[in-house]
Amino acid sequence: MEITIGVQHVARELVLETDQSSEKVLKDVLKALEVGAPVELTDTRGRRVVVPASAVGYVEIGGE
């Protein structure tokens, strides 16, 4: 599944592929934004992406 993250004040979007379910990603993103913690996701290659909650403009979660 593809996830696109728009970061405030950055022209490029972050795009990553993950094996996690869309429900899991949504739950993790909403929880991070709620408490102000960094949004942390892992892509299909095992790389971790960490974005400060205060910098997140939007998160687009693709279909399964």
Side-chain angles (χ1 to χ4, degrees):
M1 168 188 41
E2 185 176 277
I3 302 168
T4 304
I5 302 172
V7 181
Q8 295 179 17
H9 310 296
V10 176
R12 288 185 58 192
E13 299 171 324
L14 295 173
V15 180
L16 63 134
E17 290 283 331
T18 185
D19 293 328
Q20 296 178 344
S21 71
S22 59
E23 290 299 318
K24 168 90 168 100
V25 171
L26 178 62
K27 179 181 167 189
D28 292 348
V29 169
L30 290 175
K31 183 172 182 170
L33 294 174
E34 181 180 313
V35 299
V39 175
E40 185 174 333
L41 300 167
T42 304
D43 73 3
T44 55
R45 296 180 185 171
R47 295 180 296 188
R48 296 170 77 180
V49 176
V50 180
V51 180
S54 61
V56 173
Y58 64 90
V59 177
E60 182 180 300
I61 302 171
E64 296 291 331

